[in-house]
Amino acid sequence: NNFHDVEAQFNNKKPSIEPSATGHILEQIQMVEKLIENGYAYESNGSVYFDVVKFNEDHDYGKLSGRILEDLQSNSRDNLEGASDKRSPFDFAIWKNASPAHIMRWESPWGDGFPGWHLECSVMSQKYLGETFDIHGGGMDLKFPHHECEIAQSVGTYGNSPVRYWVHTNMLTVNG
């Protein structure tokens, strides 16, 4: 509600749809299946990871942010849960195996789990805006790695970049 109040202060129109990730689990599972089929994802211990190194061989991971895979620090996220299941520390989860205590969980071909953060955005934008759409907004903090991961997933699934123009803003404030 606070977000909608601020949007009204900026005189922005209300969106015609505000989809939720939990309402699109089937589509997220289908995208994961397509990424595996296309060779850009792999299953490991009930989780599915996007193969960034394989994608970078065929495409340009980091094109949006200007980052070069070889220059990224490969040990910065090694301590995350499931890191030992990855082929490379660059890889990111597109479906996570849910522990018995995890509240949000859905059945999938890889066992009970939940979608990765980047996956839900790619799926919902494609469903409502198409495989390619004009403008994608977001904060500067999303440029890397979130938007790079969205691009990689979409290119890995559909073969084309999902967005023509990326608009990254800093934080908007009202009355200071």
Side-chain angles (χ1 to χ4, degrees), residues 9 15 27 52 62 72 83 105-106 124 133-134 152 157-158 165:
Q9 290 181 48
E27 293 97 330
V52 174
L72 296 175
R105 56 188 313 118
W106 293 269
M124 291 187 298
F133 53 98
D134 289 332
T157 302
Y158 306 112
Y165 302 99

Side-chain angles (χ1 to χ4, degrees), residues 58-97:
D58 301 334
H59 304 282
D60 188 7
Y61 182 82
K63 182 178 181 179
L64 177 66
S65 63
R67 306 218 181 179
I68 300 169
L69 193 61
E70 292 77 21
D71 293 342
L72 296 175
Q73 287 196 13
S74 63
N75 63 355
S76 61
R77 295 174 60 91
D78 280 345
N79 295 329
L80 288 178
E81 183 181 332
S84 63
D85 293 336
K86 298 179 186 181
R87 292 179 184 165
S88 165
F90 298 121
D91 297 350
F92 58 90
I94 53 178
W95 187 266
K96 292 289 290 177
N97 182 6

